[in-house]
């Protein structure tokens, strides 16, 4: 019997459409929050601190998020996260209209990142409940493709809105997209069996041990283990990269907010193309060649960003960097989904994100502080060296295999 296309499945289409709006809003905040901080303080260091606060918020939820997702209704968790972010983001334009308060940006960014991380963990585990495990790949492809398209238009549109109506207007639009997402999720049904009372009773224990369970699985798997280590190193220098690029284009090159939006929209183009090509490239090249090639591209693009003063060249380098970053990310995520038992997926996902983002707040602060003191070129060259160094070492690790999902998992001790 021929199955109905997901594009004709009302449940999936509603979820698909509302999450595309949510991604569009997220791409607004990527531009709007750094721009508002820069507008209020003129300080690249403050921009880096804001990014670090957001990373710390994500890390704090990563420690317990997997256990929460496994114990509570996933649809309700998604809606709660959207409503919380709606209220938080809406507070910024309201307060800014009365009396701008820089401290509010740190509070909103930090707390919203907690809910954002919980949403992302829940989102990944909810997709199989939405379409069934046998259609996860098809669903992920559609969701990622439109998310990438939204991330192309989002930064450019955010730049235009910020230039025409002010940066706080862009944040207000971001808040509205979370409202749209929450309303859409009200109409979505997931097939997962609701957690029982005994399940919820074990939440306290799982909050303490869930991260350890996920981390132990990552460590046992020979490929996931080294992959987590290498991605932790590169994420250290990646989180603050957007801030440095925005600062370089806005102040170093003297370009407008609109140009900043266009340059960062190139990142969306890169992710979109990578999402469309990732499955095909995985089949043609295998995991190792694809991941190593993607990371090499990131290192090369970072070097171009460090050496160029031409905004068009910078835009192309941004596209290439995020193309490689998305290929590496999709490959990594797909591998974890393939080798992780469904019952552990939430905790393994949360543990991975927590570990590989553990150094990111420090890295963002260090990268932006270095750019403020020495200019953008030296920190960007350091990023290039670290990426290419990781490739050199990883070439001699189990990552280089074509099909690492076939590597057997050692028995638990």
């Amino acid at each position: 019997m021929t199955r109905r296309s997901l594009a004709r499945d009302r449940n999936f289409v509603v979820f698909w459409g509302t999450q595309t709006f949510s991604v569009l809003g997220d791409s607004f905040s990527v531009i709007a929050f750094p721009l508002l901080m820069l507008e209020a303080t003129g300080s690249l260091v403050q921009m880096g601190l804001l990014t670090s606060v957001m990373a710390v918020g994500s890390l704090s939820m990563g420690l317990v998020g997997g256990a929460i997702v496994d114990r509570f209704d996933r649809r309700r968790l998604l809606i709660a996260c959207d409503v919380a972010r709606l209220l938080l983001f809406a507070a910024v334009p309201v307060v800014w209209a009365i009396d701008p308060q820089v401290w509010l940006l740190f509070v909103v960014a930090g707390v919203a990142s907690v809910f954002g991380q919980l949403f992302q963990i829940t989102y990944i585990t909810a997709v199989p409940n939405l379409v069934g495990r046998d259609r996860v790949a098809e669903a992920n492809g559609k969701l990622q493709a439109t998310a990438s398209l939204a991330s192309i238009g989002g930064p450019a549109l955010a730049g235009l809105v910020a230039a025409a109506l002010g940066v706080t207007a862009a944040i207000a639009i971001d808040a509205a997209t979370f409202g749209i997402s929450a309303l859409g999720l009200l109409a979505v049904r997931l097939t997962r069996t609701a957690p029982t009372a005994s399940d919820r009773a074990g939440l306290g224990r799982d909050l303490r041990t869930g991260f350890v369970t996920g981390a132990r699985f990552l460590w046992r798997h020979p490929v996931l283990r080294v992959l987590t280590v290498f991605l932790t190193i590169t994420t250290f220098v990646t989180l603050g990269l957007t801030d440095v690029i925005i600062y370089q284009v806005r102040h170093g090159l003297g370009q407008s907010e609109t140009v900043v939006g266009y340059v960062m929209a190139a990142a969306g183009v890169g992710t979109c193309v990578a999402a469309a090509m990732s499955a095909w490239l995985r089949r043609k090249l295998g995991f190792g060649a694809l991941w190593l090639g993607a990371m090499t591209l990131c290192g090369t693009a970072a070097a171009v960003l460090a050496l160029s003063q031409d905004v068009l060249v910078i835009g192309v380098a941004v596209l290439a960097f995020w193309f490689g970053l998305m290929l590496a990310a999709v490959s990594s995520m797909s591998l974890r989904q393939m080798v992780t038992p469904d019952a552990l997926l939430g905790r393994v996902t949360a543990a991975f994100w927590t570990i590989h983002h553990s150094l990111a707040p420090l890295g963002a602060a260090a990268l932006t502080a270095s750019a403020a003191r020495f200019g953008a070129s030296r920190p960007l060259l350091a990023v290039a060296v670290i990426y290419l160094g990781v490739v050199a070492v990883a070439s001699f690790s189990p990552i280089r295999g074509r099909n690492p999902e076939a590597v057997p998992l050692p028995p638990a001790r």
Side-chain angles (χ1 to χ4, degrees):
M1 179 179 175
T2 302
R3 293 182 299 181
R4 183 174 58 176
S5 167
L6 287 179
R8 300 179 62 186
D9 185 323
R10 176 190 169 279
N11 205 39
F12 175 76
V13 168
V14 172
F15 184 85
W16 188 10
T18 55
Q19 295 320 298
T20 300
F21 270 103
S22 183
V23 172
L24 182 66
D26 285 339
S27 61
F28 262 62
S29 60
V30 166
I31 297 294
F33 268 82
L35 278 177
L36 188 57
M37 179 61 76
L38 186 60
E39 180 184 279
T41 67
S43 171
L44 177 58
V45 173
Q46 291 279 62
M47 292 171 66
L49 288 175
L50 181 66
T51 301
S52 296
V53 166
M54 295 171 70
V56 169
S58 295
L59 284 173
S60 64
M61 177 50 69
L63 291 171
V64 298
I68 293 173
V69 169
D70 285 343
R71 292 301 179 184
F72 291 102
D73 183 89
R74 291 171 178 171
R75 174 173 161 272
R76 292 179 180 177
L77 277 176
L78 290 170
I79 294 172
C81 290
D82 274 337
V83 171
R85 289 183 291 174
L86 163 64
L87 297 175
L88 287 164
F89 279 65
V92 173
V94 172
V95 171
W96 231 252
I98 300 171
D99 183 19
Q101 300 289 334
V102 171
W103 63 264
L104 180 66
L105 297 182
F106 288 104
V107 172
V108 169
V111 178
S113 66
V114 171
F115 287 103
Q117 181 77 330
L118 180 58
F119 185 94
Q120 289 301 319
I121 296 170
T122 311
Y123 175 90
I124 287 179
T125 57
V127 172
N129 305 144
L130 181 72
V131 300
R133 292 187 63 83
D134 60 331
R135 308 192 77 177
V136 165
E138 179 186 356
N140 281 338
K142 294 181 183 298
L143 289 165
Q144 188 59 62
T146 52
S148 298
L149 287 172
S151 68
I152 295 173
L157 186 57
L160 291 172
V161 171
L165 303 176
V167 182
T168 54
I171 296 176
I173 292 175
D174 191 3
T177 62
F178 291 125
I180 294 173
S181 175
L183 289 174
L185 287 168
L186 287 172
V188 170
R189 294 293 178 268
L190 303 179
T191 58
R192 178 174 184 253
T193 302
T196 64
S198 60
D199 287 336
R200 288 190 291 270
L203 178 61
R205 180 187 67 253
D206 285 350
L207 289 177
R208 295 189 297 271
T209 64
F211 171 80
V212 175
T213 300
R216 186 179 293 120
F217 182 89
L218 290 171
W219 183 256
R220 286 176 57 209
H221 195 284
V223 181
L224 294 185
R225 179 171 62 246
V226 293
L227 194 62
T228 302
V229 171
F230 289 138
L231 288 175
T232 300
I233 294 171
T234 55
T235 302
F236 174 80
V237 296
T238 303
L239 183 63
L241 196 60
T242 297
D243 291 336
V244 173
I245 294 171
I246 291 173
Y247 184 82
Q248 174 70 350
V249 174
R250 186 74 178 93
H251 281 255
L253 303 182
Q255 299 294 327
S256 67
E257 291 95 340
T258 301
V259 174
V260 170
Y262 286 139
V263 169
M264 296 313 301
V269 174
T271 59
C272 183
V273 176
M277 296 182 64
S278 59
W280 179 78
L281 288 173
R282 175 67 165 82
R283 290 193 300 270
K284 292 292 183 181
L285 301 177
F287 178 86
L290 177 59
W291 193 87
L292 292 170
M295 298 297 275
T296 300
L297 180 60
C298 288
T300 304
V304 173
L305 286 170
L307 300 174
S308 179
Q309 296 293 310
D310 186 287
V311 70
L312 291 177
V313 174
I314 289 175
V316 172
V318 166
L319 184 153
F321 185 91
W322 265 269
F323 175 87
L325 198 65
M326 175 57 74
L327 282 181
V330 170
S331 299
S332 170
M333 181 179 69
S334 298
L335 180 63
R336 290 196 310 275
Q337 290 174 320
M338 292 172 70
V339 303
T340 305
D342 182 61
L344 287 176
L345 186 56
R347 280 164 284 182
V348 169
T349 298
F352 172 80
W353 283 355
T354 302
I355 294 169
H356 104 276
H357 278 102
S358 59
L359 300 178
L362 177 62
L367 189 69
T368 51
S370 297
R373 181 174 181 180
F374 302 112
S377 293
R378 291 185 188 180
L380 289 171
L381 277 176
V383 172
V385 170
I386 289 173
Y387 265 89
L388 295 177
V390 163
V391 171
V393 177
S395 298
F396 298 94
S397 76
I399 287 177
R400 69 180 185 271
R402 181 177 180 85
N403 297 301
E405 63 273 11
V407 176
L409 184 68
R413 295 179 180 178

